[in-house]
Amino acid sequence: MAKPNVITKEDLINSAKECLIQNGIEKFTLRSVAEMAGVTQGTIYYHFKTKEQLYLDIVNDICTKSWKEISQQSNPYSLSEAVESAKSRSSYDSTFHKLFLSLIVSSFNNEKMRKQLGEIIQKENNELTKKLLSVWSISPINGISIEAWGIFINAIVDGIALQALVQKDFPVDKTFKELELLFKGLTHLLNKGD
């Protein structure tokens, strides 16, 4: 029996994430989300006009929750938990990055979607910059702003995730371990200059 149309958007996003985990992006439908949430398809369309809008809201929700968890970590001056969070979403079967990259491709022909994805990426860049500012008081390399480091790191993480999606044997653990060593080396350079 369907629940009344008194369901929050957040509950629907959580049901949609569960559907993605169970069915994969290839078999994901708004009908399956409605069934999982116990509501009508009309309720889904009321909150999300298109499947792509639901996808965007899922990506935004995952990113927002990840950064919230990272900001509440035990050692605010460590990048280890941020690296571990990124690594957890980078694999050959990563639902998150399949969804994210599918949206990017779709957005090339949809300016509204492109703008929304740009806002999500900018939010990630800003969160990375804040995280870096908690570790570095200044940039470890003269002439490169901490804001640019945030952009670079976000691009590196997305690039690693892309390679992991297309190469079954991609060395995710080794690559992220070495990325963390890069951060430690940059921090060491900065501390050496003090």
Side-chain angles (χ1 to χ4, degrees):
M1 172 144 204
K3 292 179 188 173
N5 289 346
V6 186
I7 188 166
T8 67
K9 193 172 185 177
E10 184 175 350
D11 287 339
L12 291 174
I13 291 170
N14 289 333
S15 292
K17 287 191 290 190
E18 189 61 36
C19 278
L20 277 170
I21 291 166
Q22 287 183 14
N23 303 332
I25 194 170
E26 299 80 11
K27 296 179 183 173
F28 181 87
T29 65
L30 295 180
R31 179 185 304 257
S32 64
V33 174
E35 289 171 5
M36 176 76 64
V39 297
T40 65
Q41 246 182 293
T43 299
I44 304 296
Y45 281 109
Y46 174 79
H47 289 282
F48 312 99
K49 302 303 179 215
T50 64
K51 187 187 327 187
E52 289 76 18
Q53 186 58 53
L54 177 54
Y55 284 166
L56 280 165
D57 286 349
I58 292 168
V59 167
N60 190 42
D61 182 72
I62 291 169
C63 292
T64 300
K65 287 180 177 172
S66 292
W67 282 110
K68 186 176 179 182
E69 286 175 22
I70 291 167
S71 70
Q72 295 171 346
Q73 68 189 19
S74 55
N75 181 0
Y77 302 105
S78 169
L79 290 169
S80 297
E81 289 172 0
V83 169
E84 195 58 40
S85 175
K87 184 175 89 172
S88 74
R89 292 187 306 276
S90 297
S91 69
Y92 187 72
D93 297 316
S94 171
T95 301
F96 172 78
H97 278 100
K98 280 183 187 177
L99 179 61
F100 179 66
L101 293 168
S102 295
L103 282 170
I104 288 174
V105 170
S106 296
S107 77
F108 296 150
N109 296 313
N110 182 325
E111 199 55 41
K112 182 179 176 191
M113 188 186 303
R114 184 182 265 191
K115 182 177 186 265
Q116 289 175 300
L117 276 169
E119 290 168 358
I120 291 169
I121 292 169
Q122 183 60 49
K123 188 164 67 169
E124 287 233 306
N125 292 342
N126 293 342
E127 290 296 332
L128 273 163
T129 299
K130 283 196 299 191
K131 184 64 185 165
L132 289 169
L133 284 168
S134 75
V135 179
W136 302 335
S137 56
I138 60 171
S139 174
I141 298 178
N142 193 21
I144 300 176
S145 68
I146 294 189
E147 291 80 10
W149 281 113
I151 293 167
F152 297 158
I153 293 166
N154 200 12
I156 289 169
V157 168
D158 287 342
I160 292 169
L162 174 64
Q163 292 181 63
L165 275 174
V166 297
Q167 296 178 29
K168 197 169 201 141
D169 59 348
F170 184 80
V172 173
D173 290 332
K174 179 182 182 296
T175 303
F176 275 99
K177 184 175 183 173
E178 292 179 19
L179 180 60
E180 191 168 354
L181 288 173
L182 173 66
F183 295 143
K184 288 179 181 178
L186 289 167
T187 302
H188 178 72
L189 272 176
L190 187 61
N191 293 335
K192 196 173 164 181
D194 286 343

